[in-house]
Structure formats: structure tokens, C-alpha cells
Amino acid sequence: MKILVVGTGAREHAICQAIHGDADIYSIMSNQNPGIARISQFKIGSEMDIEMVKKYALDMNVDMAIIGPEAPLEHGIVDTLQESGIPCVGPTQQAARIETDKAFMRALFTKHNISGSIAYGSFNTVEDAGEFIDEFAQDVVVKPVGLTGGKGVKIVGEHLKDSEDAKNYVKEIIDNKIGGHAGVVLEERLIGEEFTVQALVDGDHLIPMPAAQDHPHAYEGDQGPITGGMGSYSDKDGLLPFLGSKDYDAAVKVMEETINAVKKEVGPYKGVLYGQFMLCRDGPKLVEYNARFGDPEAMNVLPLMETSMVDLCQGVVDGNLKKAQFKPQATVCKYLVPNGYPENGKAGQPIKVDEEKIKAEGGMVFYAAVNQQDGKVFTTGSRALGLVTTADSIQDAEERCERATQYVQGDLYHRKDVGTEELIFKRILHMKEIRG
């Protein structure tokens, strides 16, 4: 089988690695990712050039396409490819609105009475948003309606001082059309612990994967600006140290209700659904959806997959997903990123990666925002690469992952505390305090 993977980063590298050996891989990437390049036939080009992607897919006579990033989904890449007879693991433009249009997603929850919903309002004027903030009289979360690469959300009490600060940020979003829309969604601030459940969806059924927890803050101790994700971990039982099976099942139920609602509104949702939840005092609440694998969380779950990823992707497009098996192991992923990231990550800096020594630690390398030229690898300003280790415990996986970081040289930094016993204990204690 010939499979086209669209996208350039570590998420796409993990997808390619998961199907490697079971399919012939073709790739469209904007930079030469060394990990993808060595296992695929590839073309360098923008994944946003949808006509070019279509032509390449047809020229290569691929049987299926897997869409990695969200931006081409927003611009209808799946609709275009499917009209040309190429089935896709990825939702249509309308179905992808659960990620690309936060106002649509929240309205869907209200209309279909989906569990896990929260108080919110969506606004196109600064005045109306300001009124909501004043009347709500609690801390709010301010979100641009559209896509911002995981960096547009700001929370009163964390990134914003007070309600006035929130109103100023609303004005900035609307005036500058941050995220591509002159609109904001304001939501109640949720108190709890965030976690992620990713699932493959065939339009009617979903197969949930092990839960993971991302670390979006740039610096240790959950400090600094929000990034695309500095690392993540998962546990051997598919749950998390602060997350039990009852709450996991409740999150999956929210996702099932969502795909049923999407089908009623805009047609079947096929592809990957990523649910980001906050575990609160009274159970999980939906923070937001992504219409594709998470980055870094894809790197936690895909290496654990024992069922053929190719067979699962075929089940997605055929509408007959069966069960998936995952190894009962814990994982830790740590991202190495250029100094200055996320505001001013240094681009064009050479990095050296000793993959053999990383492998000896039980680690895997997933290349992200880098470019390979003349056999050398350079940063492009965003996250450079993810290191992932698996083990029988999170503690063992974390220690291995941390040791593996010494085999990457360059002007880079990483969060040493991702997956550590100390940070996880802090999460457990936090949930105990919240739940009394």
C-alpha cells in the first residue's frame, strides 16, 4: 500500500515511523525532516499548497493520505483529495471546525447537550466581550476563535493580571484578527489538572488511546509562556497517576457524544480526534479539541501501538474500525528547543544528534522543526526534536529520557522536570486538594 503523509514535524515523523514497514511512505514536507526523509519518498513543498499535494498524490498513485497538521485541514485538503478519489485519515473542512472554529465547537456542545461543557460566550466586538467579562465577574480564559499554533490562549490569573488586562487582549485579537478571525471565545477558568485522550474515528466509532499529559509552559515548574508543548508522559495502564478509569471513561464519552453531534451537523468525522480535558472537582471538562494527533502526545501513544497502524487507518477510511492494542508501558517525551523559544527561537543553528547512543538508552528521536542540508541538521526557530523513552514505570522512562538528552548537542534547552517524580507528585497532590 502507498500512503502519503502530509506534514513536516515530529508528529508526522511519529506517524511515518508507525506505518514504516507496512506501507510505502510518500511525504510532503516544507523542510527536509531527516527522520521522515530516510524512510519515505518525499517532495519539499508547502502542505498548504493543496493543488500541489493533490497532483503529487495522483502522480504517485497513493492509496491513502494521512494529514498531520491542522492548517491544511482548515483549508479543505481532505475535501480536495477525496474528490480526486484519495481517501484520507483526517476530517473534512466542515468537520475540522471543532478545532479551527472554537465558537462552532462550543455551540455544538450547547445545542447537543454534550457532557463536559462549560460556561462560555463568543463575540465579534470588543464591547460585547467586555460586557460579558464584567457580568461574569470571575476569571476568564481568552481564546482567539481560529488557529494560533497552541500559543493564543491567555488566562486571567496566569498570563493576564485582571479583567482590564483581559479586555485589552480581546481588543488585540479582534483588531489584529489573531487566528484569522475578528472574534474571541471567552470561557470560565477551569481549576484542575489537564490531560489528553486521542482517538481514531471512523465516523461512527472511536478507538481511544492511552491518556497523556502535556507540559505547555516553556520553563520548569510550569513557568513562562505557553508553547506548542515542551514534553509529555503516559503511564503503563493507559491512565495517569492522578486520573482513574472512571474519569477516563467519562472523557471518552464526551468524545463519543461529540462525533455523533458532528455527524448530525456537518457529516461524518473521520480521522484523529484529540480531546484536551481538565480534570475538575466534578469530573473532566472539555478544554478544546484538535482535529489531528497532538504534538508531543502522538509520540507517547504511537510507539506503544501493537496493532498495525496501516490496518487502523484502513478502518478509519472504510468505516469499520476494530480494537487496537497498546503495549502496557509508560512513556516520557522531552522536547529540545532552540534558546529563545517560543518568542525568539534561534534559527539556522546546527545540531548534532547521536542516535545510536540515544537508542542504547532505549530512546527514540523524532525530528520536528529542523532542516537537513548537505547532511547537516539545522534549527528553524521552533521546537527542534522530541526524545521519547518507554519503560515499565514513568520514573524509569524519565530517567532514561533525561540521560538521552546529553547526546544532542546544539544551542538548545529542554524542561528537565517533564515526567519527574516531583512534578507528578505535585499533580497528584493538586487533584487531592481539589477533590477534598
Side-chain angles (χ1 to χ4, degrees), residues 1 3-6 15 19 63-69 73 77-79 81-82 86-92 199-202 209 269-273 291-293 302 309-319 321:
M1 178 179 280
I3 298 180
L4 172 66
V5 177
V6 177
I15 292 168
I19 62 176
D63 300 297
M64 179 192 304
I66 303 173
I67 314 303
L73 293 171
I77 190 169
V78 168
D79 307 67
L81 290 175
Q82 287 185 165
I86 300 161
C88 293
V89 178
T92 61
L200 288 164
V201 186
D202 68 2
M209 302 181 182
Y269 185 102
K270 292 191 173 193
V272 179
L273 182 62
R292 33 74 189 182
F293 275 115
L302 288 173
M309 177 65 168
V310 173
D311 289 348
L312 290 169
C313 289
Q314 193 67 55
V316 168
V317 301
D318 291 344
L321 265 178

Side-chain angles (χ1 to χ4, degrees), residues 195-199 255 273-277 286-290:
F195 68 95
T196 297
V197 178
Q198 301 168 99
M255 297 170 75
L273 182 62
Y274 165 116
Q276 183 183 355
F277 294 90
L286 194 280
V287 176
E288 64 183 22
Y289 279 125
N290 290 339

Side-chain angles (χ1 to χ4, degrees), residues 189-376:
R189 183 186 181 187
L190 298 173
I191 305 298
E193 283 296 328
E194 287 192 24
F195 68 95
T196 297
V197 178
Q198 301 168 99
L200 288 164
V201 186
D202 68 2
D204 291 301
H205 316 98
L206 62 78
I207 292 179
M209 302 181 182
Q213 187 178 45
D214 182 26
H215 297 65
H217 291 87
Y219 310 128
E220 285 165 29
D222 300 323
Q223 300 298 307
I226 296 292
T227 70
M230 292 296 293
S232 45
Y233 66 89
S234 67
D235 210 348
K236 64 180 180 182
D237 58 1
L239 304 171
L240 292 168
F242 59 85
L243 176 76
S245 57
K246 183 182 173 186
D247 291 316
Y248 176 89
D249 292 345
V252 172
K253 182 173 181 282
V254 172
M255 297 170 75
E256 289 170 340
E257 290 175 11
T258 302
I259 63 166
N260 291 335
V262 171
K263 186 176 183 180
K264 287 173 185 171
E265 292 293 324
V266 298
Y269 185 102
K270 292 191 173 193
V272 179
L273 182 62
Y274 165 116
Q276 183 183 355
F277 294 90
M278 185 75 79
L279 183 56
C280 301
R281 190 168 63 88
D282 55 346
K285 306 289 184 184
L286 194 280
V287 176
E288 64 183 22
Y289 279 125
N290 290 339
R292 33 74 189 182
F293 275 115
D295 186 346
E297 297 98 327
M299 293 181 273
N300 297 99
V301 299
L302 288 173
L304 297 178
M305 196 174 274
E306 291 184 310
T307 311
S308 161
M309 177 65 168
V310 173
D311 289 348
L312 290 169
C313 289
Q314 193 67 55
V316 168
V317 301
D318 291 344
N320 61 359
L321 265 178
K322 303 293 190 293
K323 288 184 178 178
Q325 292 294 121
F326 296 89
K327 294 174 193 167
Q329 287 191 304
T331 69
V332 170
C333 170
K334 299 194 183 195
Y335 247 121
L336 283 82
V337 307
N339 276 313
Y341 175 82
E343 288 101 340
N344 299 295
K346 293 180 182 177
Q349 304 296 307
I351 57 174
K352 289 184 179 177
V353 184
D354 192 331
E355 292 189 30
E356 286 305 310
K357 286 186 177 173
I358 291 168
K359 193 175 178 182
E361 285 289 357
M364 296 164 270
V365 181
F366 294 107
Y367 289 95
V370 295
N371 193 23
Q372 187 174 35
Q373 294 175 310
D374 302 323
K376 294 180 180 177

Side-chain angles (χ1 to χ4, degrees), residues 25-144:
I25 304 171
Y26 294 79
S27 167
I28 295 276
M29 42 184 169
S30 52
N31 297 311
Q32 186 168 324
N33 179 313
I36 298 174
R38 73 171 71 121
I39 57 175
S40 72
Q41 184 170 325
F42 64 91
K43 179 179 176 68
I44 302 297
S46 170
E47 53 253 31
M48 296 300 291
D49 187 346
I50 291 172
E51 285 302 313
M52 178 273 292
V53 175
K54 180 180 85 169
K55 183 178 186 307
Y56 182 70
L58 291 171
D59 287 349
M60 296 298 107
N61 197 29
V62 303
D63 300 297
M64 179 192 304
I66 303 173
I67 314 303
E70 61 273 26
L73 293 171
E74 181 180 34
H75 287 82
I77 190 169
V78 168
D79 307 67
T80 298
L81 290 175
Q82 287 185 165
E83 284 162 11
S84 302
I86 300 161
C88 293
V89 178
T92 61
Q93 186 176 37
Q94 285 298 310
R97 287 174 67 200
I98 59 164
E99 173 175 11
T100 65
D101 183 345
K102 294 180 183 70
F104 169 81
M105 186 273 284
R106 286 296 175 203
L108 193 77
F109 267 59
T110 302
K111 181 177 177 180
H112 294 272
N113 199 27
I114 297 170
S115 46
S117 192
I118 62 173
Y120 81 99
S122 55
F123 306 96
N124 297 315
T125 71
V126 176
E127 294 74 24
D128 289 348
E131 260 181 52
F132 178 91
I133 290 169
D134 289 337
E135 289 173 12
F136 195 60
Q138 296 174 37
D139 289 349
V140 295
V141 179
V142 184
K143 296 181 176 181

